[in-house]
Amino acid sequence: LVNVHGKLIEGGGHVLHRSGGQRDCSALAVQRSEDIVLDRLTIDDDRRAPPCELGAKPCESTINVQSARNVRLTGVVVYAGKGYVVSVWDTDGFAFIRSVVSDAGIIGVYVGHFKYGPSRNVMVADSVIARSRTSGLAVQGAISASPEEPVLVMDNVFSGNHWHGLWPVPGVPGGITSGGQVL
């Protein structure tokens, strides 16, 4: 969805099974768009296909939101995403509500990046993020300048994330770190 305004994608509880090309393209990409809702859709990225390694090209996010406004994912479930499963950069108004990410290849939900694209007015609530290889939820670039545009992370379940570190860091025993349930 590029330069699209006011779209509701009603998944109706259906499952989108992807059995090839998961690394090549996102199941849903939202760019320079506004007022987008994805509701009640499950995306199964095929657990038999291995996850991406850091720096692997291509390795697209399962759901990729960039330079957008007011994007809401409700009742969305993603299984076995290969890299950064839900990636949200340079976006004003993002909500991940009553949703699930399970078995993320690298990061479950990655909101903003402090250098490349901070995001504002962010809410991650009433969701489950489980078994991400590194971080369950990374909010490295979610910012707020006022109480009217908050960054809220509340009433979520984080379980079994950061079971395999991927970022090399000198001076750290084992040399690999960075990540956790919430980073």
Side-chain angles (χ1 to χ4, degrees):
L1 303 172
V2 178
N3 294 321
V4 173
H5 302 282
K7 287 287 181 187
L8 167 63
I9 302 167
E10 175 56 62
H14 292 284
V15 179
L16 171 63
H17 295 280
R18 298 201 317 159
S19 59
Q22 298 95 326
R23 288 181 174 84
D24 298 329
C25 64
S26 299
L28 175 67
V30 178
Q31 297 175 349
R32 297 179 312 279
S33 295
E34 186 173 327
D35 299 324
I36 306 296
V37 176
L38 175 61
D39 186 57
R40 297 186 315 121
L41 179 68
T42 296
I43 301 169
D44 179 354
D45 260 355
D46 192 357
R47 130 178 10 258
R48 294 171 296 180
C52 294
E53 296 300 328
L54 282 182
K57 300 288 181 202
C59 187
E60 296 297 323
S61 299
T62 306
I63 298 174
N64 187 352
V65 179
Q66 289 191 16
S67 302
R69 287 183 45 85
N70 301 324
V71 176
R72 185 176 181 94
L73 308 180
T74 58
V76 172
V77 178
V78 182
Y79 295 116
K82 303 308 169 202
Y84 300 169
V85 175
V86 177
S87 179
V88 182
W89 286 15
D90 188 33
T91 293
D92 185 1
F94 173 76
F96 187 76
I97 310 293
R98 293 181 311 282
S99 295
V100 175
V101 170
S102 178
D103 297 301
I106 298 177
I107 294 175
V109 178
Y110 190 177
V111 180
H113 190 283
F114 68 99
K115 286 184 182 177
Y116 308 112
S119 292
R120 295 157 300 287
N121 193 14
V122 172
M123 177 185 287
V124 177
D126 301 316
S127 296
V128 175
I129 302 172
R131 294 183 303 281
S132 301
R133 277 171 77 198
T134 62
S135 298
L137 170 64
V139 286
Q140 287 186 306
I143 60 174
S144 174
S146 72
E148 290 79 33
E149 296 181 352
V151 174
L152 296 173
V153 176
M154 56 190 244
D155 299 326
N156 298 292
V157 174
F158 297 96
S159 177
N161 298 295
H162 193 51
W163 54 268
H164 181 79
L166 292 173
W167 280 271
V169 177
V172 171
I176 303 290
T177 191
S178 188
Q181 300 294 322
V182 177
L183 173 65

